[in-house]
């Protein structure tokens, strides 16, 4: 069972910014006019688990903004993303500030979101987006916990 992570961030890795849903409007006010207009024109709704891909001027994704319910909901804030984000060979990295415990929960959620039961159907190995390991996480805990959950599933 391969976890969906990369060891190093590169210049082509894309940022994931987590914003608490109830603080999204304040966060948006501080962004550039392009980001404000893009969020408005796509009718983005800042609900827990919702995310928006903000494009660069060339049309490619520049960053991902994810809304979540705060530290109590960290575990599932990123769990949908491995399957839903485009597969960027350089991966994604978390660029918002979080405690080591929050980062560990966020990263574990990413790992759990990359699980697929493929015993009786064609393997989907390698079809998930990859996250660059954040520096402050408890990596052994994440690896052991994710693999244990995968075995129990």
């Amino acid at each position: 069972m391969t976890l969906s992570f990369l060891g190093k961030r590169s210049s082509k890795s894309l940022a994931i910014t987590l914003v608490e849903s109830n603080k999204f409007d304040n966060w948006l006010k501080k962004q550039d006019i392009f980001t404000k207009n893009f969020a408005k024109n796509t009718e983005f709704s800042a609900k827990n688990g919702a995310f928006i891909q903000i494009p660069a001027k060339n049309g490619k994704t520049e960053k991902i903004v994810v809304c979540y319910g705060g530290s109590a909901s960290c575990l599932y804030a990123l769990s949908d993303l491995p399957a839903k984000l485009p597969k960027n060979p350089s991966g994604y990295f978390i660029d918002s500030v979080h405690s080591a415990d929050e980062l560990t929960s966020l990263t574990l959620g990413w790992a759990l979101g990359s699980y697929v039961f493929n015993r009786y159907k064609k393997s989907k190995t390698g079809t998930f987006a990859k996250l660059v390991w954040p520096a402050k996480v408890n990596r052994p805990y994440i690896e052991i916990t994710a693999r244990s959950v995968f075995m129990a599933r």
Side-chain angles (χ1 to χ4, degrees), residues 24-144:
F24 180 79
D25 290 337
N26 290 335
W27 175 86
L28 191 60
K29 288 177 186 175
K30 299 174 187 172
Q31 303 309 304
D32 60 54
I33 193 72
F34 179 83
T35 301
K36 289 177 188 175
N37 287 337
F38 187 81
K40 180 183 174 189
N41 292 335
T42 58
E43 299 179 3
F44 179 70
S45 178
K47 296 178 183 174
N48 290 349
F51 70 94
I52 186 171
Q53 297 180 55
I54 307 292
K57 304 289 185 221
N58 64 6
K60 294 183 179 180
T61 301
E62 181 176 43
K63 64 183 170 185
I64 310 295
V65 179
V66 178
C67 292
Y68 76 117
S71 61
S73 68
C74 277
L75 181 61
Y76 298 107
L78 300 180
S79 61
D80 283 350
L81 296 185
K84 290 185 176 179
L85 289 178
K87 308 330 174 233
N88 176 20
S90 300
Y92 297 86
F93 67 95
I94 299 170
D95 78 338
S96 41
V97 178
H98 302 278
S99 70
D101 287 343
E102 286 175 334
L103 276 174
T104 297
S105 289
L106 289 164
T107 307
L108 177 58
W110 182 282
L112 295 175
S114 64
Y115 172 79
V116 64
F117 181 77
N118 58 8
R119 184 172 181 177
Y120 301 110
K121 61 182 179 180
K122 188 176 179 182
S123 175
K124 291 186 177 182
T125 304
T127 63
F128 293 106
K130 298 194 181 299
L131 182 70
V132 176
W133 281 104
K136 298 189 298 184
V137 299
N138 184 343
R139 188 171 171 172
Y141 168 79
I142 293 166
E143 291 173 334
I144 290 167

